[in-house]
């Protein structure tokens, strides 16, 4: 007797049944003029084109999402509004083929339904898409005795178990004015958010997740009470191609703003921090976070403490 083969989780993985099992957003074509295997493949015609499929994944199981691709694709796996796995354009060769392998491995914590999203994304470099953007022969298989079945590289690449990040000493006090600085899923979230609200548990800086701030969409704000004429500093940690804008509002008027100040790198992957220093004009102030850039930005651990340094903001009102 031999062990049964692991079950392919995706339905219609090679798009041979047109769009069956997939939800498309209308800017994709399933065509027969190119394919890696079989007679059809899906072509993403513009940035943001995507194909989505909902699948059921078992708890405490390692899975691999794998596709053959041309062009730059973001593949990701989501649990409700939180991204749990992602590969943006990281590919490797297929022998004797112009197609590339793209994969992401994940370990599922809780059994349930997850969304698999394949999306055209040029990472800010349009030249990556000049030969067209295609996807074919995708798969999701569970691990078999620790060995990836059928597709992709020869060993799993799960996220490393990093040691917890320790904030600088000046950001650890109990007198910080911002509540829930790391956007954790608390009963009282503390932040008021309009527009698109999504999170990622991929490489969070502090806690279990970070928050996406999407351009011309997400606006997050929080009200706090300060001492008039006292100087304060807001610091948020960010990563991603977008630009985080921070504004302080007092009585409906902008008191201070920073959208062009430098992002100072820290020794933690792509993370860095950006600051906003201001003098309180009264008691009640509003902090607003948004994104005026072209790409998304991920934000984590926003704090507000008293500050004795210089007033250095590049965009004072």
């Amino acid at each position: 007797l031999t062990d049964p083969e692991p079950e392919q989780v995706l339905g219609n993985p090679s798009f041979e049944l047109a769009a069956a099992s997939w939800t498309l957003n209308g800017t994709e074509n399933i065509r027969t003029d190119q394919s890696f295997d079989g007679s059809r493949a899906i072509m993403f015609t513009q940035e943001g084109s995507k194909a989505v499929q909902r699948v059921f994944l078992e708890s405490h199981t390692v899975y691999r999402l794998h596709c053959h691709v041309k062009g730059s694709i973001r593949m990701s796996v989501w649990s409700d509004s939180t991204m749990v796995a992602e590969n943006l354009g990281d590919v490797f060769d297929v022998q004797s083929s112009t197609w590339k392998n793209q994969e992401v491995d994940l370990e599922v914590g809780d059994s349930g339904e997850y969304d698999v999203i394949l999306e055209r994304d040029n990472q800010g470099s349009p030249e990556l898409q000049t030969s067209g953007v295609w996807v074919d022969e995708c798969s999701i298989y569970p691990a078999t005795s620790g060995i990836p079945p059928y597709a992709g590289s020869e060993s799993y690449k799960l996220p490393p178990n990093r040691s917890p990040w320790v904030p600088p000493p000046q950001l650890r006090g109990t007198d910080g004015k911002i509540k829930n600085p790391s956007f954790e899923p608390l009963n009282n979230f503390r932040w008021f958010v309009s527009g698109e609200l999504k999170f990622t548990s991929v490489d969070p800086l502090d806690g279990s997740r970070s928050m996406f701030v999407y351009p011309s969409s997400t606006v997050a704000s929080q009200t706090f009470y300060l001492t008039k004429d006292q100087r304060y500093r807001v610091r948020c940690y960010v990563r991603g191609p977008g630009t985080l804008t921070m504004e302080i509002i007092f009585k409906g008027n902008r008191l201070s703003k920073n959208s062009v100040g430098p992002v100072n790198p820290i020794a933690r992957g792509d993370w860095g921090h950006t600051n906003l220093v201001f003098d309180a004009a009264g008691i009640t102030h509003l902090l607003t976070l948004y994104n005026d850039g072209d790409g998304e930005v991920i934000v984590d651990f926003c704090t507000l403490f008293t500050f004795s340094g210089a007033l250095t903001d590049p965009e004072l009102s």
Side-chain angles (χ1 to χ4, degrees):
L1 295 178
T2 59
D3 293 332
E5 293 184 350
E7 180 181 357
Q8 156 75 293
V9 175
L10 286 174
N12 188 25
S14 297
F15 306 96
E16 296 299 303
L17 302 176
S21 300
W22 296 91
T23 299
L24 310 181
N25 70 0
T27 56
E28 309 81 18
N29 294 319
I30 296 175
R31 300 173 55 159
T32 58
D33 50 329
Q34 286 205 47
S35 65
F36 178 81
D37 187 52
S39 61
R40 290 183 170 91
I42 187 169
M43 179 184 182
F44 295 111
T45 61
Q46 64 187 49
E47 295 305 294
S49 297
K50 67 176 65 174
V52 182
Q53 185 172 150
R54 181 158 291 182
V55 298
F56 186 87
L57 302 179
E58 299 283 352
S59 64
H60 309 299
T61 303
V62 175
Y63 290 90
R64 166 170 293 166
L65 169 61
H66 176 278
C67 293
H68 292 96
V69 305
K70 291 184 176 183
S72 179
I73 292 286
R74 181 199 299 267
M75 57 167 50
S76 56
V77 181
W78 293 73
S79 174
D80 296 323
S81 61
T82 301
M83 186 173 70
V84 298
E86 177 192 37
N87 177 333
L88 176 54
D90 184 9
V91 298
F92 57 98
D93 290 341
V94 176
Q95 187 174 4
S96 304
S97 176
T98 58
W99 290 80
K100 302 289 187 180
N101 289 289
Q102 187 166 341
E103 65 189 25
V104 62
D105 301 329
L106 68 151
E107 185 170 10
V108 173
D110 298 319
S111 296
E113 292 186 329
Y114 291 77
D115 286 327
V116 175
I117 301 180
L118 310 175
E119 181 177 7
R120 175 169 167 156
D121 188 323
N122 65 22
Q123 310 173 58
S125 301
E127 65 273 10
L128 295 175
Q129 316 293 43
T130 54
S131 298
V133 182
W134 298 78
V135 176
D136 196 11
E137 197 182 42
C138 295
S139 62
I140 297 181
Y141 284 107
T144 305
S145 300
I147 301 173
Y150 309 130
S153 55
E154 296 181 354
S155 60
Y156 284 103
K157 297 185 289 293
L158 294 173
N161 290 321
R162 288 186 174 182
S163 58
W165 176 70
V166 179
Q170 66 269 29
L171 304 182
R172 297 183 214 165
T174 59
D175 56 342
K177 301 300 182 180
I178 293 179
K179 307 304 180 185
N180 191 15
S182 299
F183 309 97
E184 293 300 298
L186 306 178
N187 289 333
N188 185 352
F189 185 56
R190 297 286 187 167
W191 294 89
F192 176 80
V193 181
S194 61
E196 199 167 6
L197 177 59
K198 292 185 178 180
F199 304 92
T200 176
S201 62
V202 178
D203 190 26
L205 181 65
D206 185 67
S208 64
R209 67 183 191 180
S210 309
M211 186 176 73
F212 284 102
V213 180
Y214 291 100
S216 303
S217 174
T218 309
V219 179
S221 58
Q222 188 172 143
T223 299
F224 34 77
Y225 306 102
L226 306 178
T227 301
K228 185 178 180 180
D229 297 326
Q230 173 67 56
R231 182 160 295 175
Y232 294 89
R233 182 180 66 185
V234 179
R235 172 174 289 183
C236 286
Y237 289 80
V238 296
R239 65 179 177 91
T243 301
L244 182 71
T245 294
M246 304 183 292
E247 280 191 1
I248 295 292
I249 308 295
F250 177 72
K251 291 187 175 181
N253 297 311
R254 188 180 77 203
L255 179 64
S256 193
K257 175 184 177 182
N258 184 1
S259 61
V260 299
V263 174
N264 305 287
I266 63 174
R268 190 81 174 191
D270 297 329
W271 287 101
H273 64 74
T274 184
N275 301 314
L276 174 62
V277 180
F278 66 98
D279 293 331
I283 297 175
T284 305
H285 295 70
L286 178 72
L287 169 67
T288 300
L289 309 176
Y290 59 94
N291 181 351
D292 273 339
D294 296 325
E296 70 201 20
V297 63
I298 297 170
V299 61
D300 204 345
F301 201 66
C302 289
T303 58
L304 191 157
F305 286 91
T306 57
F307 185 64
S308 59
L311 196 64
T312 56
D313 300 295
E315 297 175 80
L316 283 174
S317 175

